Amino acid sequence: MFIQTETTPNPATLKFLPGQAVMDVGTADFPSAEAAASSPLARRIFATGGVSGVFLGNDFVTVTKDAGVSWDHVKPAILGAIMEHYQSGAPVIEGAAAAAHAAHDGPDGDIVRQIKELLDTRVRPAVAQDGGDITFHGFDRGVVYLHMKGACAGCPSSTLTLKMGIENLLRHYIPEVTEVRPVAA
Protein backbone atom coordinates (compact mmCIF):
# COMPACT_ATOMS: atom_id res chain seq x y z
CA MET A 1 0.00 0.00 0.00
CA PHE A 2 1.32 3.43 -0.99
CA ILE A 3 -0.16 6.41 0.87
CA GLN A 4 0.32 9.82 -0.70
CA THR A 5 0.25 13.04 1.30
CA GLU A 6 -0.72 16.54 0.28
CA THR A 7 -0.43 19.83 2.09
CA THR A 8 -3.58 21.84 2.78
CA PRO A 9 -4.12 25.59 3.21
CA ASN A 10 -4.01 24.90 6.95
CA PRO A 11 -0.33 24.37 7.91
CA ALA A 12 -1.35 22.27 10.92
CA THR A 13 -3.23 19.78 8.73
CA LEU A 14 -2.03 17.20 6.18
CA LYS A 15 -4.18 15.23 3.74
CA PHE A 16 -3.41 11.49 3.48
CA LEU A 17 -4.58 9.60 0.37
CA PRO A 18 -4.53 5.82 0.89
CA GLY A 19 -5.48 5.08 -2.74
CA GLN A 20 -8.80 3.50 -1.81
CA ALA A 21 -12.17 4.48 -0.38
CA VAL A 22 -12.17 5.80 3.17
CA MET A 23 -15.86 6.68 3.63
CA ASP A 24 -18.49 5.10 1.38
CA VAL A 25 -21.01 7.83 2.22
CA GLY A 26 -20.54 11.25 3.80
CA THR A 27 -17.71 12.40 6.02
CA ALA A 28 -16.75 12.03 9.67
CA ASP A 29 -15.08 14.62 11.89
CA PHE A 30 -13.25 13.71 15.09
CA PRO A 31 -12.02 16.89 16.84
CA SER A 32 -10.65 14.85 19.78
CA ALA A 33 -9.58 11.33 20.72
CA GLU A 34 -12.73 10.98 22.84
CA ALA A 35 -14.92 11.77 19.83
CA ALA A 36 -13.25 8.95 17.84
CA ALA A 37 -14.87 6.12 19.79
CA SER A 38 -16.87 4.98 16.73
CA SER A 39 -13.89 4.87 14.35
CA PRO A 40 -11.14 2.26 14.63
CA LEU A 41 -9.13 4.20 12.02
CA ALA A 42 -9.36 7.54 13.87
CA ARG A 43 -8.54 5.82 17.19
CA ARG A 44 -5.34 4.37 15.67
CA ILE A 45 -4.31 7.77 14.36
CA PHE A 46 -4.93 9.51 17.70
CA ALA A 47 -2.96 6.76 19.46
CA THR A 48 0.20 7.83 17.57
CA GLY A 49 0.35 10.99 19.72
CA GLY A 50 0.68 14.61 18.71
CA VAL A 51 -2.68 14.56 16.88
CA SER A 52 -5.47 17.02 17.69
CA GLY A 53 -8.02 16.12 14.99
CA VAL A 54 -8.92 13.53 12.36
CA PHE A 55 -11.33 14.04 9.47
CA LEU A 56 -12.43 11.24 7.14
CA GLY A 57 -13.56 12.01 3.59
CA ASN A 58 -14.52 9.92 0.58
CA ASP A 59 -10.96 8.97 -0.41
CA PHE A 60 -8.81 10.86 2.09
CA VAL A 61 -7.94 11.30 5.75
CA THR A 62 -6.92 14.71 7.04
CA VAL A 63 -4.96 14.89 10.26
CA THR A 64 -4.39 18.00 12.34
CA LYS A 65 -1.32 17.97 14.56
CA ASP A 66 -0.84 19.56 17.97
CA ALA A 67 0.69 23.05 17.90
CA GLY A 68 4.08 22.14 19.39
CA VAL A 69 4.67 19.08 17.19
CA SER A 70 6.62 18.87 13.92
CA TRP A 71 5.25 16.99 10.92
CA ASP A 72 8.65 15.31 10.56
CA HIS A 73 8.06 13.76 13.97
CA VAL A 74 4.43 12.54 13.63
CA LYS A 75 3.94 11.88 9.90
CA PRO A 76 5.73 8.47 9.82
CA ALA A 77 3.64 7.17 12.75
CA ILE A 78 0.41 8.38 11.12
CA LEU A 79 1.32 6.70 7.83
CA GLY A 80 1.99 3.48 9.77
CA ALA A 81 -1.34 3.72 11.63
CA ILE A 82 -3.29 4.16 8.38
CA MET A 83 -1.47 1.24 6.77
CA GLU A 84 -2.04 -1.00 9.82
CA HIS A 85 -5.73 -0.13 9.81
CA TYR A 86 -6.24 -1.16 6.18
CA GLN A 87 -4.25 -4.35 6.69
CA SER A 88 -6.37 -5.24 9.75
CA GLY A 89 -9.62 -5.39 7.77
CA ALA A 90 -11.43 -3.41 10.51
CA PRO A 91 -14.19 -1.02 9.43
CA VAL A 92 -13.44 2.71 9.20
CA ILE A 93 -16.62 3.53 11.14
CA GLU A 94 -18.58 1.22 13.43
CA GLY A 95 -22.31 1.84 12.98
CA ALA A 96 -24.04 4.25 10.61
CA ALA A 97 -22.53 7.55 9.52
CA ALA A 98 -24.38 10.72 10.51
CA ALA A 99 -26.12 12.96 7.98
CA ALA A 100 -23.89 15.69 6.55
CA HIS A 101 -26.25 18.63 6.96
CA ALA A 102 -28.38 19.59 9.94
CA ALA A 103 -32.11 19.13 9.43
CA HIS A 104 -34.20 22.28 9.05
CA ASP A 105 -37.96 22.42 9.38
CA GLY A 106 -39.96 25.57 8.99
CA PRO A 107 -41.11 28.26 6.63
CA ASP A 108 -37.71 28.61 4.92
CA GLY A 109 -37.67 25.01 3.68
CA ASP A 110 -37.29 25.90 -0.02
CA ILE A 111 -34.45 28.33 0.69
CA VAL A 112 -32.67 25.74 2.86
CA ARG A 113 -33.00 23.10 0.13
CA GLN A 114 -31.41 25.52 -2.36
CA ILE A 115 -28.59 26.32 0.09
CA LYS A 116 -27.86 22.62 0.69
CA GLU A 117 -27.92 21.87 -3.04
CA LEU A 118 -25.41 24.66 -3.78
CA LEU A 119 -23.20 23.50 -0.93
CA ASP A 120 -23.29 19.89 -2.17
CA THR A 121 -22.70 20.67 -5.85
CA ARG A 122 -20.42 23.72 -5.80
CA VAL A 123 -18.75 24.14 -2.42
CA ARG A 124 -18.14 20.77 -0.77
CA PRO A 125 -16.30 19.17 -3.74
CA ALA A 126 -13.89 22.12 -3.90
CA VAL A 127 -13.33 22.14 -0.15
CA ALA A 128 -12.71 18.37 -0.16
CA GLN A 129 -9.77 19.00 -2.48
CA ASP A 130 -8.18 20.88 0.42
CA GLY A 131 -8.95 18.09 2.91
CA GLY A 132 -12.02 19.52 4.58
CA ASP A 133 -15.77 19.87 4.49
CA ILE A 134 -18.39 22.55 5.09
CA THR A 135 -21.89 21.57 6.13
CA PHE A 136 -25.15 23.42 6.69
CA HIS A 137 -25.96 24.16 10.32
CA GLY A 138 -28.86 26.61 10.11
CA PHE A 139 -30.62 29.53 8.43
CA ASP A 140 -32.17 32.42 10.33
CA ARG A 141 -33.31 35.81 8.98
CA GLY A 142 -30.99 35.78 5.97
CA VAL A 143 -27.95 34.40 7.82
CA VAL A 144 -26.59 30.99 6.81
CA TYR A 145 -24.66 29.16 9.54
CA LEU A 146 -22.04 26.68 8.32
CA HIS A 147 -19.87 24.17 10.17
CA MET A 148 -16.28 23.89 8.97
CA LYS A 149 -14.56 20.52 9.38
CA GLY A 150 -11.21 18.87 8.72
CA ALA A 151 -8.55 21.12 7.24
CA CYS A 152 -11.09 23.98 7.09
CA ALA A 153 -11.48 24.14 10.86
CA GLY A 154 -8.93 26.63 12.11
CA CYS A 155 -7.49 27.30 8.66
CA PRO A 156 -6.07 30.81 8.29
CA SER A 157 -7.91 31.28 4.97
CA SER A 158 -11.28 29.92 6.19
CA THR A 159 -12.76 33.36 6.90
CA LEU A 160 -11.84 34.52 3.39
CA THR A 161 -13.31 31.32 1.92
CA LEU A 162 -16.56 31.87 3.82
CA LYS A 163 -16.96 35.58 3.14
CA MET A 164 -15.56 36.02 -0.35
CA GLY A 165 -16.37 32.63 -1.81
CA ILE A 166 -19.34 30.92 -0.23
CA GLU A 167 -21.23 34.04 0.87
CA ASN A 168 -20.94 35.60 -2.60
CA LEU A 169 -22.02 32.35 -4.28
CA LEU A 170 -25.08 31.91 -2.04
CA ARG A 171 -26.10 35.59 -2.29
CA HIS A 172 -25.83 35.41 -6.09
CA TYR A 173 -28.16 32.42 -6.44
CA ILE A 174 -30.41 32.98 -3.41
CA PRO A 175 -31.38 36.64 -2.84
CA GLU A 176 -32.77 35.84 0.64
CA VAL A 177 -29.22 35.09 1.87
CA THR A 178 -27.55 38.19 3.33
CA GLU A 179 -24.61 36.73 5.26
CA VAL A 180 -22.68 33.52 6.02
CA ARG A 181 -21.25 32.80 9.48
CA PRO A 182 -19.23 29.87 10.85
CA VAL A 183 -20.39 27.89 13.89
CA ALA A 184 -18.26 25.92 16.34
CA ALA A 185 -18.62 22.14 16.63
Side-chain angles (χ1 to χ4, degrees), residues 108 110-119 136 139 142 144 166-179:
D108 298 323
D110 287 338
I111 295 169
V112 169
R113 274 190 290 284
Q114 291 176 49
I115 292 168
K116 289 178 179 180
E117 183 177 337
L118 282 169
L119 289 173
F136 175 82
F139 178 74
V144 177
I166 300 167
E167 184 175 289
N168 287 341
L169 174 81
L170 292 178
R171 288 173 63 194
H172 175 76
Y173 287 102
I174 308 167
E176 294 85 355
V177 172
T178 59
E179 185 181 358

Side-chain angles (χ1 to χ4, degrees), residues 29-182:
D29 189 25
F30 304 103
S32 68
E34 295 77 30
S38 66
S39 173
L41 174 56
R43 286 194 312 259
R44 276 184 205 263
I45 294 169
F46 275 110
T48 64
V51 173
S52 62
V54 175
F55 178 80
L56 307 176
N58 179 43
D59 63 349
F60 65 89
V61 176
T62 55
V63 178
T64 304
K65 67 176 182 65
D66 289 332
V69 177
S70 163
W71 278 117
D72 292 338
H73 185 324
V74 295
K75 184 177 168 182
I78 294 167
L79 287 165
I82 294 170
M83 194 171 300
E84 285 175 15
H85 172 79
Y86 280 97
Q87 290 173 343
S88 76
V92 171
I93 298 280
E94 295 166 334
H101 299 296
H104 182 89
D105 296 324
D108 298 323
D110 287 338
I111 295 169
V112 169
R113 274 190 290 284
Q114 291 176 49
I115 292 168
K116 289 178 179 180
E117 183 177 337
L118 282 169
L119 289 173
D120 287 344
T121 59
R122 303 256 181 137
V123 177
R124 293 177 75 202
V127 171
Q129 292 296 314
D130 287 336
D133 197 10
I134 296 179
T135 57
F136 175 82
H137 187 77
F139 178 74
D140 184 35
R141 290 177 272 182
V143 180
V144 177
Y145 296 91
L146 300 177
H147 181 78
M148 304 180 85
K149 302 175 181 179
C152 295
C155 176
S157 60
S158 65
T159 302
L160 186 64
T161 299
L162 269 182
K163 289 294 179 187
M164 299 305 290
I166 300 167
E167 184 175 289
N168 287 341
L169 174 81
L170 292 178
R171 288 173 63 194
H172 175 76
Y173 287 102
I174 308 167
E176 294 85 355
V177 172
T178 59
E179 185 181 358
V180 173
R181 295 182 191 164

